[in-house]
Amino acid sequence: MASSPDPGQWWRTAIIDIAPGTIRVRGYAIEDLIGAVSFPEMIWLMLRGDLPSADQAALLGAVLVAAVDHGPQAPSIAIARMAMTCGVGVNNAMASAVNALGDVHGGAGQQCMELYAAVDGRAGHGIALNAAAGAEIGARLLRREHVPGFGHRFHPVDPRAGRLLSLVDDAASRGAVGGRFAAIGRAVEEALAAAKGKRLPMNIDGATAVVLSELGFAPDEGRGLFILSRSVGILAHAMEQKAQGGRIKGPMPPGIAYTYDGAEPRALPRTTASAGGTTP
Ligand SMILES: CC(C)(COP(=O)(O)OP(=O)(O)OC[C@H]1O[C@@H](n2cnc3c(N)ncnc32)[C@H](O)[C@@H]1OP(=O)(O)O)[C@@H](O)C(=O)NCCC(=O)NCCSC(=O)C[C@@](O)(CC(=O)O)C(=O)O
Protein backbone atom coordinates (compact mmCIF):
# COMPACT_ATOMS: atom_id res chain seq x y z
CA MET A 1 0.00 0.00 0.00
CA ALA A 2 1.41 3.39 -1.00
CA SER A 3 2.17 5.56 2.02
CA SER A 4 0.59 9.03 1.99
CA PRO A 5 3.10 11.87 1.50
CA ASP A 6 4.28 13.79 4.56
CA PRO A 7 2.56 17.20 4.13
CA GLY A 8 5.56 18.88 5.77
CA GLN A 9 7.83 17.54 3.01
CA TRP A 10 5.59 18.51 0.04
CA TRP A 11 7.57 21.71 -0.52
CA ARG A 12 11.00 22.10 1.00
CA THR A 13 12.94 25.36 0.75
CA ALA A 14 16.07 26.84 2.24
CA ILE A 15 15.25 30.22 0.67
CA ILE A 16 12.46 31.67 2.77
CA ASP A 17 10.57 31.01 5.95
CA ILE A 18 7.29 32.69 6.70
CA ALA A 19 4.98 32.62 9.66
CA PRO A 20 2.20 35.02 10.64
CA GLY A 21 3.96 38.38 11.02
CA THR A 22 7.40 36.98 10.06
CA ILE A 23 9.24 36.81 6.72
CA ARG A 24 12.85 35.64 6.74
CA VAL A 25 14.91 35.36 3.55
CA ARG A 26 17.95 33.11 3.93
CA GLY A 27 17.61 33.73 7.67
CA TYR A 28 17.47 37.54 7.43
CA ALA A 29 14.29 39.35 8.49
CA ILE A 30 12.79 41.06 5.44
CA GLU A 31 12.41 44.31 7.39
CA ASP A 32 16.18 44.31 7.98
CA LEU A 33 16.88 43.72 4.28
CA ILE A 34 14.46 46.40 3.05
CA GLY A 35 16.34 49.68 2.78
CA ALA A 36 19.64 48.00 3.59
CA VAL A 37 20.50 45.88 0.55
CA SER A 38 20.45 46.77 -3.14
CA PHE A 39 18.48 44.74 -5.68
CA PRO A 40 21.64 43.00 -7.02
CA GLU A 41 22.58 42.08 -3.43
CA MET A 42 19.08 40.69 -2.91
CA ILE A 43 19.33 38.65 -6.13
CA TRP A 44 22.67 37.25 -4.96
CA LEU A 45 21.25 36.42 -1.54
CA MET A 46 18.31 34.60 -3.11
CA LEU A 47 20.43 32.59 -5.56
CA ARG A 48 23.54 31.99 -3.54
CA GLY A 49 22.30 31.87 0.05
CA ASP A 50 24.48 34.64 1.43
CA LEU A 51 25.20 38.32 0.84
CA PRO A 52 27.85 39.20 -1.76
CA SER A 53 31.00 41.24 -1.21
CA ALA A 54 30.91 44.82 -2.53
CA ASP A 55 32.94 43.75 -5.61
CA GLN A 56 30.65 40.82 -6.33
CA ALA A 57 27.53 42.98 -5.99
CA ALA A 58 29.04 45.66 -8.25
CA LEU A 59 29.87 43.14 -10.99
CA LEU A 60 26.44 41.53 -10.84
CA GLY A 61 24.86 44.99 -10.90
CA ALA A 62 26.93 45.88 -13.97
CA VAL A 63 25.63 42.80 -15.83
CA LEU A 64 22.06 43.72 -14.93
CA VAL A 65 22.55 47.28 -16.20
CA ALA A 66 24.32 46.20 -19.41
CA ALA A 67 21.61 43.86 -20.71
CA VAL A 68 18.60 45.98 -19.87
CA ASP A 69 17.64 47.20 -23.37
CA HIS A 70 18.72 47.11 -26.99
CA GLY A 71 15.98 49.08 -28.67
CA PRO A 72 12.92 48.19 -30.74
CA GLN A 73 14.96 46.23 -33.29
CA ALA A 74 15.86 43.65 -30.65
CA PRO A 75 13.24 40.88 -30.98
CA SER A 76 12.53 40.80 -27.24
CA ILE A 77 11.74 44.52 -27.18
CA ALA A 78 9.84 44.52 -30.48
CA ILE A 79 7.64 41.65 -29.32
CA ALA A 80 6.72 43.50 -26.12
CA ARG A 81 5.73 46.56 -28.12
CA MET A 82 3.78 44.57 -30.72
CA ALA A 83 1.95 42.61 -28.02
CA MET A 84 0.97 45.83 -26.26
CA THR A 85 -0.81 47.02 -29.42
CA CYS A 86 -2.86 43.81 -29.52
CA GLY A 87 -5.00 44.60 -26.51
CA VAL A 88 -3.26 42.27 -24.06
CA GLY A 89 -2.12 43.14 -20.55
CA VAL A 90 1.43 44.04 -19.57
CA ASN A 91 2.00 40.57 -18.12
CA ASN A 92 1.15 39.00 -21.51
CA ALA A 93 3.42 41.46 -23.32
CA MET A 94 6.28 40.74 -20.92
CA ALA A 95 5.86 36.97 -21.08
CA SER A 96 5.70 37.04 -24.89
CA ALA A 97 8.92 39.05 -25.01
CA VAL A 98 10.76 36.90 -22.49
CA ASN A 99 9.81 33.81 -24.48
CA ALA A 100 11.92 35.05 -27.41
CA LEU A 101 15.09 35.02 -25.28
CA GLY A 102 16.88 31.79 -26.14
CA ASP A 103 19.93 30.20 -27.70
CA VAL A 104 20.19 32.81 -30.46
CA HIS A 105 18.94 36.02 -28.81
CA GLY A 106 19.81 37.05 -25.29
CA GLY A 107 19.94 33.53 -23.89
CA ALA A 108 23.20 32.44 -25.50
CA GLY A 109 25.05 33.39 -22.32
CA GLN A 110 24.03 30.02 -20.92
CA GLN A 111 25.70 28.11 -23.77
CA CYS A 112 28.63 30.50 -23.65
CA MET A 113 29.22 29.77 -19.96
CA GLU A 114 29.24 26.07 -20.88
CA LEU A 115 31.70 26.83 -23.69
CA TYR A 116 34.04 28.72 -21.34
CA ALA A 117 33.86 25.81 -18.88
CA ALA A 118 34.71 23.38 -21.72
CA VAL A 119 37.75 25.48 -22.68
CA ASP A 120 38.74 25.68 -19.02
CA GLY A 121 38.47 21.88 -18.80
CA ARG A 122 40.61 21.32 -21.92
CA ALA A 123 43.24 23.77 -20.66
CA GLY A 124 43.40 21.99 -17.36
CA HIS A 125 45.40 19.12 -18.82
CA GLY A 126 48.68 20.81 -19.57
CA ILE A 127 47.32 22.53 -22.67
CA ALA A 128 47.76 26.31 -22.95
CA LEU A 129 44.62 28.42 -22.91
CA ASN A 130 44.95 29.60 -26.51
CA ALA A 131 45.44 26.03 -27.75
CA ALA A 132 42.47 24.85 -25.70
CA ALA A 133 40.27 27.61 -27.11
CA GLY A 134 41.49 26.82 -30.63
CA ALA A 135 40.68 23.12 -30.22
CA GLU A 136 37.22 23.79 -28.77
CA ILE A 137 36.30 26.35 -31.46
CA GLY A 138 37.73 24.14 -34.20
CA ALA A 139 35.54 21.24 -33.07
CA ARG A 140 32.43 23.41 -32.95
CA LEU A 141 33.02 24.96 -36.36
CA LEU A 142 33.59 21.50 -37.79
CA ARG A 143 30.08 20.68 -36.58
CA ARG A 144 28.97 23.90 -38.35
CA GLU A 145 27.81 25.45 -35.06
CA HIS A 146 27.53 29.14 -34.29
CA VAL A 147 29.79 29.87 -31.33
CA PRO A 148 27.56 31.24 -28.55
CA GLY A 149 28.39 34.72 -27.24
CA PHE A 150 30.14 35.91 -30.39
CA GLY A 151 29.01 37.82 -33.46
CA HIS A 152 26.43 40.56 -33.71
CA ARG A 153 23.98 41.43 -36.43
CA PHE A 154 24.39 45.16 -35.73
CA HIS A 155 27.59 46.05 -33.87
CA PRO A 156 31.05 45.53 -35.39
CA VAL A 157 32.17 45.88 -31.74
CA ASP A 158 29.59 45.50 -28.97
CA PRO A 159 30.24 48.46 -26.63
CA ARG A 160 28.80 46.55 -23.68
CA ALA A 161 31.35 43.74 -23.93
CA GLY A 162 34.51 45.83 -23.61
CA ARG A 163 33.17 47.73 -20.64
CA LEU A 164 32.14 44.57 -18.79
CA LEU A 165 35.53 42.98 -19.45
CA SER A 166 37.34 46.05 -18.17
CA LEU A 167 35.31 45.87 -14.93
CA VAL A 168 36.37 42.21 -14.56
CA ASP A 169 40.00 43.22 -15.21
CA ASP A 170 39.75 45.89 -12.48
CA ALA A 171 38.22 43.41 -10.03
CA ALA A 172 40.87 40.81 -10.92
CA SER A 173 43.66 43.33 -10.30
CA ARG A 174 42.31 43.69 -6.73
CA GLY A 175 42.03 39.92 -6.35
CA ALA A 176 38.23 40.14 -6.14
CA VAL A 177 37.82 37.63 -8.98
CA GLY A 178 40.31 35.29 -10.61
CA GLY A 179 40.29 36.73 -14.14
CA ARG A 180 40.47 33.23 -15.63
CA PHE A 181 37.21 33.53 -17.58
CA ALA A 182 38.11 36.95 -18.98
CA ALA A 183 41.24 35.30 -20.38
CA ILE A 184 39.17 32.41 -21.73
CA GLY A 185 36.68 34.79 -23.36
CA ARG A 186 39.47 36.69 -25.07
CA ALA A 187 41.15 33.44 -26.16
CA VAL A 188 37.87 32.23 -27.66
CA GLU A 189 37.43 35.53 -29.52
CA GLU A 190 40.94 35.20 -30.99
CA ALA A 191 40.47 31.52 -31.88
CA LEU A 192 37.18 32.29 -33.62
CA ALA A 193 38.70 35.17 -35.59
CA ALA A 194 41.60 32.97 -36.66
CA ALA A 195 39.35 30.09 -37.70
CA LYS A 196 36.79 32.21 -39.55
CA GLY A 197 39.29 34.66 -41.06
CA LYS A 198 37.19 37.58 -39.77
CA ARG A 199 36.49 39.10 -36.40
CA LEU A 200 33.24 38.08 -34.73
CA PRO A 201 33.11 40.29 -31.66
CA MET A 202 32.24 39.11 -28.21
CA ASN A 203 28.63 40.21 -27.73
CA ILE A 204 26.62 41.00 -24.61
CA ASP A 205 25.93 37.29 -24.02
CA GLY A 206 29.63 36.45 -24.31
CA ALA A 207 30.56 39.25 -21.93
CA THR A 208 27.91 38.52 -19.32
CA ALA A 209 29.06 34.89 -19.53
CA VAL A 210 32.57 36.04 -18.58
CA VAL A 211 31.35 38.05 -15.60
CA LEU A 212 28.90 35.45 -14.34
CA SER A 213 31.45 32.63 -14.74
CA GLU A 214 33.96 34.71 -12.75
CA LEU A 215 31.28 35.12 -10.08
CA GLY A 216 30.58 31.38 -9.95
CA PHE A 217 27.02 31.35 -11.30
CA ALA A 218 25.66 28.27 -13.09
CA PRO A 219 24.96 28.53 -16.85
CA ASP A 220 21.17 28.46 -16.54
CA GLU A 221 21.38 31.14 -13.86
CA GLY A 222 23.17 33.18 -16.53
CA ARG A 223 20.16 32.93 -18.79
CA GLY A 224 17.81 33.75 -15.93
CA LEU A 225 19.82 36.83 -15.00
CA PHE A 226 19.74 38.12 -18.59
CA ILE A 227 15.97 37.69 -18.52
CA LEU A 228 15.74 39.60 -15.24
CA SER A 229 17.73 42.47 -16.70
CA ARG A 230 15.95 42.57 -20.06
CA SER A 231 12.58 42.44 -18.30
CA VAL A 232 13.19 46.02 -17.18
CA GLY A 233 13.63 47.18 -20.78
CA ILE A 234 10.69 45.07 -21.86
CA LEU A 235 8.46 46.70 -19.22
CA ALA A 236 9.62 50.21 -20.11
CA HIS A 237 8.97 49.67 -23.82
CA ALA A 238 5.60 48.04 -23.16
CA MET A 239 4.54 51.03 -21.08
CA GLU A 240 5.88 53.52 -23.62
CA GLN A 241 3.99 51.74 -26.39
CA LYS A 242 0.83 51.74 -24.30
CA ALA A 243 1.18 55.49 -23.81
CA GLN A 244 1.75 56.02 -27.53
CA GLY A 245 -1.30 53.95 -28.43
CA GLY A 246 -1.46 52.09 -31.72
CA ARG A 247 -3.47 49.01 -32.55
CA ILE A 248 -2.08 45.82 -34.08
CA LYS A 249 1.39 47.00 -34.98
CA GLY A 250 3.18 44.30 -36.95
CA PRO A 251 6.96 43.88 -37.19
CA MET A 252 7.15 46.42 -40.03
CA PRO A 253 4.88 49.16 -41.41
CA PRO A 254 2.14 47.77 -43.72
CA GLY A 255 3.63 49.77 -46.62
CA ILE A 256 6.84 47.72 -46.52
CA ALA A 257 6.42 44.51 -48.46
CA TYR A 258 7.68 41.12 -47.41
CA THR A 259 8.81 38.60 -50.01
CA TYR A 260 6.32 35.98 -51.12
CA ASP A 261 8.03 33.00 -52.70
CA GLY A 262 5.21 30.45 -52.80
CA ALA A 263 3.00 29.01 -55.55
CA GLU A 264 1.81 31.21 -58.42
CA PRO A 265 -1.86 32.21 -58.24
CA ARG A 266 -3.89 29.16 -59.38
CA ALA A 267 -7.50 28.02 -59.72
CA LEU A 268 -9.01 25.61 -57.21
CA PRO A 269 -9.46 22.13 -58.81
CA ARG A 270 -13.06 21.53 -59.97
CA THR A 271 -13.41 18.51 -57.70
CA THR A 272 -12.06 18.59 -54.17
CA ALA A 273 -12.30 15.96 -51.43
CA SER A 274 -14.68 18.08 -49.32
CA ALA A 275 -16.91 18.69 -52.37
CA GLY A 276 -17.35 14.92 -52.62
CA GLY A 277 -14.85 14.33 -55.39
CA THR A 278 -11.19 13.49 -55.47
CA THR A 279 -8.39 15.93 -56.01
CA PRO A 280 -6.47 15.25 -59.21
C1 LIG B 1 24.13 36.98 -33.22
C2 LIG B 1 24.14 36.36 -34.58
C3 LIG B 1 22.78 35.73 -34.87
C4 LIG B 1 24.39 37.47 -35.59
O1 LIG B 1 24.46 36.88 -36.77
P1 LIG B 1 24.66 37.67 -38.16
O2 LIG B 1 23.38 38.28 -38.51
O3 LIG B 1 25.80 38.61 -38.04
O4 LIG B 1 25.07 36.62 -39.18
P2 LIG B 1 24.78 35.13 -39.55
O5 LIG B 1 23.93 35.16 -40.75
O6 LIG B 1 24.32 34.30 -38.42
O7 LIG B 1 26.24 34.74 -39.95
C5 LIG B 1 26.97 35.39 -40.96
C6 LIG B 1 28.33 34.76 -41.08
O8 LIG B 1 29.07 34.91 -39.86
C7 LIG B 1 29.25 33.62 -39.26
N1 LIG B 1 29.01 33.76 -37.79
C8 LIG B 1 28.32 34.73 -37.23
N2 LIG B 1 28.31 34.53 -35.92
C9 LIG B 1 29.02 33.41 -35.72
C10 LIG B 1 29.35 32.69 -34.58
N3 LIG B 1 28.96 33.09 -33.37
N4 LIG B 1 30.07 31.57 -34.71
C11 LIG B 1 30.49 31.16 -35.92
N5 LIG B 1 30.20 31.81 -37.05
C12 LIG B 1 29.47 32.92 -36.94
C13 LIG B 1 28.24 32.71 -39.93
O9 LIG B 1 28.62 31.38 -39.89
C14 LIG B 1 28.28 33.28 -41.31
O10 LIG B 1 29.50 32.91 -41.88
P3 LIG B 1 29.64 32.36 -43.34
O11 LIG B 1 28.68 31.23 -43.42
O12 LIG B 1 31.06 31.98 -43.47
O13 LIG B 1 29.22 33.51 -44.20
C15 LIG B 1 25.27 35.30 -34.71
O14 LIG B 1 26.49 35.93 -34.59
C16 LIG B 1 25.10 34.18 -33.72
O15 LIG B 1 24.27 33.31 -33.89
N6 LIG B 1 25.90 34.19 -32.64
C17 LIG B 1 25.85 33.14 -31.65
C18 LIG B 1 24.63 33.29 -30.77
C19 LIG B 1 24.74 34.50 -29.89
O16 LIG B 1 25.77 34.84 -29.36
N7 LIG B 1 23.60 35.21 -29.69
C20 LIG B 1 23.54 36.40 -28.90
C21 LIG B 1 23.55 37.60 -29.79
S1 LIG B 1 23.47 39.11 -28.86
C22 LIG B 1 21.80 39.20 -28.45
O17 LIG B 1 21.00 38.41 -28.80
C23 LIG B 1 21.38 40.37 -27.63
C24 LIG B 1 21.13 41.62 -28.45
O18 LIG B 1 22.35 42.28 -28.70
C25 LIG B 1 20.40 41.28 -29.74
C26 LIG B 1 20.23 42.36 -30.77
O19 LIG B 1 19.57 43.35 -30.54
O20 LIG B 1 20.76 42.14 -31.87
C27 LIG B 1 20.28 42.50 -27.54
O21 LIG B 1 20.84 43.17 -26.69
O22 LIG B 1 19.05 42.41 -27.64
Side-chain angles (χ1 to χ4, degrees):
M1 197 173 91
S3 61
S4 56
D6 174 357
Q9 292 293 311
W10 192 253
W11 299 117
R12 284 195 304 120
T13 179
I15 299 172
I16 187 163
D17 197 19
I18 64 165
T22 305
I23 303 171
R24 288 187 178 278
V25 178
R26 301 287 192 190
Y28 296 113
I30 193 72
E31 59 272 29
D32 291 344
L33 292 166
I34 296 170
V37 303
S38 66
F39 194 42
E41 286 173 312
M42 189 65 185
I43 294 169
W44 187 292
L45 176 65
M46 289 292 288
L47 292 176
R48 304 288 284 271
D50 232 322
L51 287 165
S53 69
D55 275 313
Q56 290 168 330
L59 282 173
L60 177 57
V63 164
L64 295 169
V65 167
V68 87
D69 189 10
H70 200 238
Q73 283 188 341
S76 47
I77 300 293
I79 289 169
R81 298 192 72 120
M82 282 192 285
M84 242 15 223
T85 70
C86 295
V88 301
V90 73
N91 54 323
N92 305 102
M94 291 185 74
S96 303
V98 163
N99 273 327
L101 294 169
D103 298 0
V104 178
H105 169 44
Q110 178 175 346
Q111 283 82 4
C112 191
M113 289 172 80
E114 287 162 358
L115 161 66
Y116 293 159
V119 172
D120 192 30
R122 278 184 190 264
H125 304 288
I127 302 170
L129 209 51
N130 289 345
E136 183 64 31
I137 295 310
R140 286 168 184 250
L141 293 181
L142 216 55
R143 299 195 297 267
R144 307 185 69 78
E145 293 175 10
H146 276 71
V147 175
F150 294 83
H152 204 278
R153 67 192 170 96
F154 190 77
H155 298 296
V157 174
D158 189 329
R160 301 165 290 188
R163 177 67 182 143
L164 286 172
L165 254 64
S166 78
L167 291 176
V168 171
D169 291 343
D170 285 353
S173 71
R174 291 191 302 278
V177 294
R180 171 87 173 161
F181 289 97
I184 290 175
R186 289 181 169 118
V188 167
E189 191 172 42
E190 291 311 315
L192 185 57
K196 293 289 288 187
K198 64 177 176 184
R199 295 206 75 79
L200 289 161
M202 182 186 289
N203 59 42
I204 179 70
D205 285 351
T208 56
V210 166
V211 182
L212 298 174
S213 299
E214 292 283 352
L215 293 175
F217 284 98
D220 40 10
E221 288 176 323
R223 180 170 293 191
L225 288 166
F226 188 101
I227 290 169
L228 273 182
S229 168
R230 183 53 59 90
S231 292
V232 177
I234 287 169
L235 173 60
H237 280 273
M239 296 314 293
E240 184 180 63
Q241 187 60 53
K242 182 181 177 187
Q244 287 173 3
R247 292 165 70 80
I248 314 187
K249 283 183 89 165
M252 51 201 186
I256 297 181
Y258 58 86
T259 302
Y260 173 72
D261 61 0
E264 292 298 321
R266 52 185 166 163
L268 194 65
R270 254 185 337 110
T271 50
T272 62
S274 56
T278 50
T279 44

